[in-house]
Amino acid sequence: MAYIDFSDKYSVGIETIDKQHIKLINLINTFFEAMKAGKGGETLKPTLAELIKYTQFHFSSEENYMQKIQYSRYGEHKHKHEALVAKILEFQHNLENEISGQAVLLLGFLKEWLTEHILVTDKAYSQSFIENGIR
Ligand SMILES: [Fe+2]
């Protein structure tokens, strides 16, 4: 069983965004599998780097859509994105410095964050996106 399973409850009704969320979930699952298999930092570090890169791509694509439709909660949403990126970079720093227990803490954090990100903050914009023709 995967660490996080994508199901209908996670759909925001916009195919482009759902696909990006699935990719994020897959990257988190890959990180989980690597950790479970006892893979060390040499595997975990590049996996995390890829996850960070994709998260930034995903956020900028959401922000671009928000700007395009002049979404009223753009500032608030962007602020959440920045806070999250800062937090994962802090985990990355700790992982680089071999601080023990970081991978487990990071996974718990990512699962909770992703669920909240999709179910609360992203679901809040889905209607506005759909009304503005974003698919
Ligand atoms: Fe999102």
Side-chain angles (χ1 to χ4, degrees), residues 21 58 62 117 122 125:
H21 286 155
H58 170 61
E62 281 185 347
H117 169 85
D122 287 3
Y125 69 54

Side-chain angles (χ1 to χ4, degrees), residues 17 21 24 58-59 62 77 81 113 117-118 122 125:
I17 304 286
H21 286 155
L24 276 176
H58 170 61
F59 286 172
E62 281 185 347
H77 203 113
H81 286 169
W113 162 74
H117 169 85
I118 297 178
D122 287 3
Y125 69 54

Side-chain angles (χ1 to χ4, degrees), residues 34-96:
M35 195 196 72
K36 210 173 65 174
K39 301 259 171 68
E42 291 328 301
T43 306
L44 293 181
K45 286 174 204 171
T47 307
L48 180 59
E50 199 189 338
L51 178 64
I52 293 171
K53 214 170 109 189
Y54 195 76
T55 301
Q56 287 170 322
F57 163 76
H58 170 61
F59 286 172
S60 60
S61 86
E62 281 185 347
E63 287 164 19
N64 285 339
Y65 284 136
M66 285 178 198
Q67 282 183 305
K68 210 166 115 185
I69 66 164
Q70 299 183 319
Y71 181 59
S72 59
R73 295 170 75 181
Y74 169 75
E76 182 195 329
H77 203 113
K78 188 175 165 62
H79 186 76
K80 284 190 180 173
H81 286 169
E82 286 164 357
L84 183 270
V85 171
K87 188 78 191 158
I88 338 188
L89 290 175
E90 191 186 314
F91 273 115
Q92 186 180 40
H93 175 83
N94 292 346
L95 205 68
E96 293 289 339

Side-chain angles (χ1 to χ4, degrees), residues 3 83-85 87-88 91 103-115:
Y3 185 58
L84 183 270
V85 171
K87 188 78 191 158
I88 338 188
F91 273 115
V104 178
L105 285 175
L106 171 63
L107 273 167
F109 171 80
L110 286 172
K111 189 176 199 170
E112 199 178 308
W113 162 74
L114 191 87
T115 309

